[in-house]
């Protein structure tokens, strides 16, 4: 019963004592792209610590005064009729090819100190704890509302996205609620790339039976939840939140793709919480981001701080890396997009062929440990853009051997390279289409759904990655005698 799990009503003192660590879907955000003079591409592993402080990613950051360098943005865009407005500094929100994004409104130079670019009132966020007792913020759910009983029926270990979807739909139904207005900036069902909204035919276009099976199971889970709670005897105040399962699937997709996870401490109670944070959720992903960001609570506002890894020119989009050490199939599950230069993607080889790891790394000026590879661009030819995330991924995924300074035998290495290339060619032959055909199909589509487009791009990116590995092996073979 609802009375068994009382709601906690947060106050100012509650949030002033809050400690947190920020991540997206449980993955801590850390800089994944190094812009130093010696490093062009650098990946760092994420290691959670039981002794994490209030700022686990750094010591308390040195914060630049935003008023001294970044001008406040036009506030009219952020008010949209609500009592307390979001404040933004040196940024503007514009619609781009991937929906709304955050763009620099003036040149931003890389500095050691972090900059505040947004201040977001806590009462605008949708927050729900991951475990019992459920805690909501803001306090918009009446104690006797049936949506609480629905949330109370979820599994604390697995159903965080269902709970947040319920909270989002309830916020849309509350008269005068901020999210009724902010919903105009969220992708609609037609614009959403979440594969939960994909048809069976579109899932087949992934050309990945395992990923398609995972999405089917997730969709069936969400639909079953909707059927159990949006049945014919449900009260009208519940039915109108999601009159059809497609609406609920959309809300779950929004929750999965735009959620921020934070650990909140209330006295002796620590709670992992999922939050939908308006405007901060417009920061888009890149595997080669130009900044990274973190958070802090101050005066009942959540401050979004960024560190620019390179100069960001006026009009450039600010991008971050959502998840580290995750393959494209995970990005497709969570966000509905993929990339041919994901440095953590994997090819599963079944043969016994191996190449010399140190030799392969030296050919492409890659050094470091597998969890922390980087490309030394000072040793590269001017204009050489071959080495990217796909080559970094190849260095991780290719079967290799290493015995300190023992040099490889060229003839043996060439044989291994040829066998690995042949296996890659067999992988490409197993696809129903070629990369050229996929690209031609994408170029010719004018009215395809976003989910179909995402599915075709996913299989195309997989093939482009394999083809890049084949080319990298060819370059390695050509230079092995040197």
């Amino acid at each position: 019963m609802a009375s068994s799990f009382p709601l906690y009503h947060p106050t100012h003192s509650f949030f002033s004592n809050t400690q947190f660590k920020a991540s997206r879907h449980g993955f801590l955000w850390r800089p994944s792209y190094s812009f130093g003079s010696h490093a062009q591409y650098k990946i760092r592993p994420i290691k959670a610590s039981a002794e994490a402080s209030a700022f686990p990613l750094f010591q308390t950051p040195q914060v630049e005064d935003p008023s001294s360098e970044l001008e406040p943005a036009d506030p009219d865009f952020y008010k949209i009729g609500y009592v307390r407005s979001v404040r933004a500094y040196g940024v503007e929100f514009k619609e781009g090819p991937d929906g709304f994004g955050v763009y620099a409104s003036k040149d931003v130079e890389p500095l050691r100190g972090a900059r505040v670019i947004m201040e977001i009132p806590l009462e605008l966020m949708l927050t729900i704890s991951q475990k019992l007792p459920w805690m909501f913020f803001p306090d918009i759910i009446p104690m006797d509302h049936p949506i609480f009983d629905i949330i109370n029926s979820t599994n604390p270990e697995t159903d965080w996205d269902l709970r947040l979807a319920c909270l989002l739909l309830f916020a849309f139904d509350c008269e005068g609620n901020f999210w009724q207005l902010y919903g105009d900036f969220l992708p609609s069902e037609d614009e959403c790339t979440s594969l939960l909204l994909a048809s069976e035919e579109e899932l087949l276009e992934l050309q990945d039976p395992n990923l398609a099976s995972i999405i089917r199971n997730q969709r069936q889970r969400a639909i079953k939840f909707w059927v159990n709670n949006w049945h014919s005897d449900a009260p009208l105040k519940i039915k109108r939140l999601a009159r059809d399962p497609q609406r609920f699937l959309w809300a779950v997709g929004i929750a999965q793709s735009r959620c921020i996870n934070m650990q909140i401490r209330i006295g002796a109670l620590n709670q992992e919480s999922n939050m939908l944070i308006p405007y901060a959720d417009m920061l888009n992903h890149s595997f080669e981001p130009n900044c990274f960001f973190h958070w802090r609570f101050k005066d009942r506002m959540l401050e979004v701080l960024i560190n620019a890894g390179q100069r960001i020119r006026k009009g450039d989009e600010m991008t971050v890396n959502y998840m580290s050490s995750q393959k494209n199939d995970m990005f497709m599950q969570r966000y509905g997009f993929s990339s041919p230069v994901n440095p953590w993607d994997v090819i599963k080889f079944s043969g016994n062929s191996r190449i010399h790891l140190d030799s392969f790394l030296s050919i492409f000026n890659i050094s470091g440990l597998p969890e922390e590879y980087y490309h030394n661009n000072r040793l590269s030819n001017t204009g050489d853009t071959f080495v990217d995330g796909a080559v970094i991924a190849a260095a991780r995924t290719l079967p290799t051997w290493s015995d300190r300074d023992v040099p490889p035998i060229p003839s043996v290495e060439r044989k291994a390279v040829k066998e690995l290339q042949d296996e890659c060619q067999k992988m490409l032959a197993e696809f129903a289409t070629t990369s050229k055909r996929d690209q031609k199909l994408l170029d010719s589509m004018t009215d395809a759904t976003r989910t179909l487009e995402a599915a075709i791009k996913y299989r195309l990116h997989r093939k482009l990655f394999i083809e890049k590995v084949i080319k990298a092996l060819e370059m390695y073979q050509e230079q092995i005698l040197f």
Side-chain angles (χ1 to χ4, degrees):
M1 298 295 292
S3 59
S4 301
F5 308 105
L7 295 179
Y8 286 74
H9 303 287
T11 63
H12 177 73
S13 59
F14 161 78
F15 276 99
S16 63
N17 294 322
T18 299
Q19 292 188 0
F20 62 95
K21 55 183 180 181
S23 66
R24 191 146 191 166
H25 304 297
F27 295 90
L28 292 177
W29 277 353
R30 292 185 61 176
S32 62
Y33 189 70
S34 175
F35 299 89
S37 59
H38 295 284
Q40 185 182 39
Y41 211 108
K42 188 170 184 179
I43 304 297
R44 292 190 178 276
I46 303 305
K47 295 182 179 179
S49 171
E51 301 171 358
S53 64
F55 259 91
L57 306 188
F58 311 94
Q59 298 298 321
T60 302
Q62 175 187 355
V63 181
E64 301 291 331
D65 180 6
S67 62
S68 66
E69 191 174 347
L70 302 180
E71 299 175 357
D74 181 359
D76 292 338
F77 178 84
Y78 314 104
K79 288 181 179 178
I80 57 176
Y82 202 70
V83 175
R84 296 186 69 189
S85 62
V86 173
R87 295 193 287 267
Y89 304 94
V91 298
E92 56 184 343
F93 300 89
K94 298 188 298 184
E95 193 164 9
D98 300 316
F100 275 94
V102 180
Y103 293 79
S105 61
K106 65 176 298 183
D107 289 351
V108 179
E109 300 294 339
L111 295 176
R112 187 175 184 83
R115 294 179 176 86
V116 177
I117 61 168
M118 299 182 211
E119 297 173 328
I120 305 165
L122 295 177
E123 61 263 30
L124 298 189
M125 304 172 196
L126 296 181
T127 305
I128 188 169
S129 61
Q130 291 185 1
K131 298 181 180 179
L132 300 173
W134 303 131
M135 293 180 291
F136 303 96
F137 188 80
D139 180 22
I140 62 173
I141 300 185
M143 288 291 292
D144 59 345
H145 197 283
I147 196 67
F148 178 78
D149 293 326
I150 293 178
I151 291 175
N152 197 36
S153 69
T154 59
N155 186 332
E157 299 298 325
T158 61
D159 295 340
W160 65 268
D161 50 347
L162 303 182
R163 291 192 292 278
L164 200 57
C166 289
L167 194 60
L168 177 63
L169 291 171
F170 179 81
F172 285 144
D173 191 58
C174 292
E175 185 176 354
N177 187 270
F178 165 85
W179 285 86
Q180 288 182 323
L181 301 167
Y182 190 71
D184 290 340
F185 302 106
L186 298 177
S188 65
E189 292 182 21
D190 293 336
E191 298 167 332
C192 188
T193 59
S194 171
L195 293 181
L196 293 175
L197 298 170
S199 65
E200 179 60 29
E201 292 75 15
E202 290 170 342
L203 290 181
L204 294 176
E205 295 292 345
L206 290 167
Q207 297 182 2
D208 185 337
N210 184 59
L211 176 58
S213 177
I214 292 173
I215 298 301
R216 289 189 195 100
N217 292 336
Q218 289 187 358
R219 186 168 60 190
Q220 290 171 3
R221 160 180 162 266
I223 291 177
K224 181 180 179 181
F225 182 81
W226 179 85
V227 170
N228 290 341
N229 295 287
W230 271 262
H231 49 77
S232 58
D233 295 331
L236 178 61
K237 62 175 65 177
I238 291 298
K239 288 182 179 178
R240 69 190 184 201
L241 300 184
R243 295 186 180 275
D244 56 74
Q246 198 77 354
R247 175 67 171 174
F248 186 72
L249 288 173
W250 171 83
V252 175
I254 292 294
Q256 289 182 353
S257 62
R258 306 180 82 88
C259 172
I260 305 296
N261 170 255
M262 290 188 183
Q263 187 181 66
I264 298 178
R265 188 175 72 186
I266 310 170
L269 180 63
N270 285 288
Q271 277 276 29
E272 291 283 341
S273 297
N274 298 111
M275 310 175 73
L276 290 177
I277 305 177
Y279 301 105
D281 63 2
M282 291 186 185
L283 281 161
N284 287 321
H285 167 85
S286 173
F287 286 109
E288 299 181 6
N290 53 24
C291 62
F292 58 93
F293 71 102
H294 42 261
W295 327 78
R296 70 177 181 184
F297 287 114
K298 183 179 179 181
D299 300 329
R300 293 183 63 79
M301 301 282 279
L302 179 68
E303 293 185 334
V304 180
L305 302 95
I306 65 119
N307 284 87
Q310 64 181 14
R311 185 183 186 189
I312 305 175
R313 297 187 179 277
K314 179 180 178 180
D316 288 348
E317 183 175 10
M318 293 180 171
T319 56
V320 296
N321 192 344
Y322 285 176
M323 298 191 296
S324 181
S325 306
Q326 295 300 318
K327 299 182 294 183
N328 272 344
D329 57 355
M330 178 58 73
F331 278 94
M332 284 297 291
Q333 289 181 50
R334 294 288 189 178
Y335 306 108
F337 64 75
S338 59
S339 170
V341 295
N342 182 350
W344 295 98
D345 221 3
V346 171
I347 297 177
K348 294 182 179 180
F349 291 90
S350 58
N352 297 320
S353 301
R354 296 183 300 165
I355 60 173
H356 190 251
L357 174 61
D358 297 335
S359 298
F360 182 82
L361 295 178
S362 65
I363 292 299
F364 299 105
N365 303 317
I366 298 172
S367 59
L369 300 175
E371 299 84 4
E372 203 173 63
Y373 279 143
Y374 64 88
H375 173 230
N376 193 330
N377 60 0
R378 279 195 170 182
L379 300 178
S380 301
N381 296 326
T382 303
D384 181 10
T385 59
F386 182 81
V387 178
D388 56 18
V391 180
I392 298 291
R396 290 197 179 94
T397 195
L398 284 168
T400 58
W401 66 276
S402 182
D403 191 5
R404 295 187 179 180
D405 297 327
V406 176
I409 302 174
S411 60
V412 176
E413 287 293 295
R414 286 197 181 96
K415 180 181 178 182
V417 166
K418 183 65 167 60
E419 291 175 351
L420 291 173
Q421 286 179 316
D422 289 345
E423 190 166 355
C424 286
Q425 293 290 359
K426 290 179 181 179
M427 294 178 191
L428 291 174
E430 291 175 356
F431 287 102
T433 57
T434 64
S435 60
K436 291 183 178 180
R437 181 177 177 83
D438 290 340
Q439 188 61 63
K440 186 176 181 180
L441 182 60
L442 285 171
D443 294 339
S444 63
M445 292 192 308
T446 56
D447 57 352
T449 63
R450 294 298 301 275
T451 46
L452 175 59
E453 182 181 358
I456 296 176
K457 283 184 177 179
Y458 171 76
R459 76 192 196 204
L460 170 61
H461 293 163
R462 183 66 176 170
K463 297 163 192 171
L464 292 177
F465 171 45
I466 297 174
E467 290 172 358
K468 187 91 174 197
V469 172
I470 294 174
K471 292 179 181 178
L473 287 169
E474 185 66 32
M475 293 176 63
Y476 172 60
Q477 181 178 235
E478 291 174 354
Q479 300 183 48
I480 191 61
L481 290 176
F482 302 96

